[in-house]
Amino acid sequence: MSYGDHKLFLYDEVVDLVIDSDSLYVDNRPMNNKRLTAHKGLSNELIFNIRNKDRKLQNVNSDVLRATLFNNLTGKRIFTRVLEHTGTTGQVKLNMAEGDLTNVEQGLYQLYISRETSEGSELPVFADQNNNIKFDIEIKDQTKQTPVDTQTANVSQFMQVTNTNNGDNSNVFVTSALKGNQKRNFTSCLHSIAIHPNTFTGNFTIQASCVENTPNTANNSSDWFDVVSDVSLTSNSTIYHHTFQVNANYIRVLSEPTAGNISLVQLRN
């Protein structure tokens, strides 16, 4: 086997459940002999086949079926969701969005299905032959991802690249080259920036660069292009924030103060 010969399989969770006309006893072999699994950080879909004791799929299109996820140790209900009819007789599905499990710790939980008939009755849907209406579901955290840390540049980290004392037309300061999305070459790349002025008067510009290596620091370097140009403030100390989309390797702030300074730049991408 070569190092690249890895097999992947489509992930599928399909569960058979039993409905009974009198809702008293389910005389059937175990319907679910496996533990359900859902993964944090992803959307999850569970499909349920609704059968009778003879394992015949039942038409439940006129019924409202609900799935309830709860913590079996504390009894706390995490959520209740209406199941979607798939269009196939006797088949419904539970869709769990990524956000449904964000605040759920990994571990073993329980799930049960109930149905509301057209007459308004709320009835159980059995999961096994012992009249149990709940079954285990394991929440896993294999896809947990830590957000990228906020990048910062404080006032002492600004570099002065032009100086009126040296005969330049203005005083220009630039931050270091903050990382853009150089490791994730997405076509849609959002960045949020917070710029903290300190009684600042003057202009500043948000710039980006697509060069592979660290770009030139000069204010007029062709390594950089403007994303947001010439934001003008007068004796301002209110945080300026902006969210923009750019596919670039580096981002910086170029400042041209006539009074005050920018005390902090924060960037998330």
Side-chain angles (χ1 to χ4, degrees), residues 2-216:
S2 68
Y3 288 108
D5 186 12
H6 300 289
K7 294 181 180 180
L8 296 176
F9 302 89
L10 289 178
Y11 191 82
D12 188 19
E13 288 280 16
V14 180
V15 181
D16 284 352
L17 300 176
V18 172
I19 58 174
D20 189 37
S21 58
D22 56 18
S23 299
L24 294 177
Y25 180 71
V26 178
D27 182 14
N28 204 347
R29 60 186 175 177
M31 303 297 290
N32 302 305
N33 54 13
K34 65 177 180 178
R35 179 181 294 173
L36 295 178
T37 303
H39 296 272
K40 297 184 64 173
L42 297 172
S43 296
N44 296 271
E45 182 181 87
L46 303 178
I47 297 177
F48 300 92
N49 292 322
I50 312 298
R51 303 177 183 272
N52 64 6
K53 293 187 298 181
D54 298 323
R55 300 186 65 81
K56 181 179 179 181
L57 288 168
Q58 299 297 290
N59 188 343
V60 291
N61 289 339
S62 60
D63 296 349
V64 177
L65 290 103
R66 295 184 177 89
T68 300
L69 178 69
F70 66 98
N71 187 322
N72 57 304
L73 296 178
T74 65
K76 181 180 179 181
R77 181 174 59 185
I78 298 169
F79 66 70
T80 297
R81 293 283 184 275
V82 174
L83 303 182
E84 298 180 21
H85 294 278
T86 65
T88 300
T89 298
Q91 190 176 86
V92 292
K93 64 180 178 180
L94 167 63
N95 285 319
M96 288 183 283
E98 178 182 343
D100 288 337
L101 301 179
T102 298
N103 296 320
V104 179
E105 297 293 332
Q106 64 176 346
L108 189 63
Y109 295 82
Q110 290 189 316
L111 186 74
Y112 70 84
I113 308 297
S114 62
R115 66 184 178 111
E116 179 183 328
T117 66
S118 56
E119 293 80 21
S121 300
E122 191 77 17
L123 301 175
V125 179
F126 295 99
D128 63 26
Q129 66 178 359
N130 297 317
N131 287 345
N132 290 321
I133 66 171
K134 59 187 180 181
F135 42 85
D136 292 336
I137 178 170
E138 185 177 9
I139 308 298
K140 293 189 174 183
D141 205 9
Q142 295 174 331
T143 56
K144 181 179 180 180
Q145 299 178 13
T146 302
V148 176
D149 292 337
T150 298
Q151 300 177 76
T152 63
N154 60 37
V155 63
S156 65
Q157 294 169 313
F158 273 82
M159 179 188 305
Q160 187 167 7
V161 291
T162 68
N163 192 326
T164 55
N165 293 332
N166 297 331
D168 295 321
N169 293 329
S170 61
N171 295 312
V172 177
F173 299 81
V174 296
T175 66
S176 58
L178 304 174
K179 292 180 180 179
N181 57 294
Q182 53 194 164
K183 293 184 179 180
R184 303 180 303 279
N185 192 24
F186 299 154
T187 57
S188 176
C189 307
L190 286 178
H191 309 267
S192 294
I193 196 168
I195 298 173
H196 298 244
N198 181 18
T199 57
F200 178 88
T201 298
N203 298 331
F204 64 82
T205 296
I206 302 170
Q207 296 185 317
S209 176
C210 292
V211 300
E212 183 176 354
N213 299 314
T214 304
N216 191 290

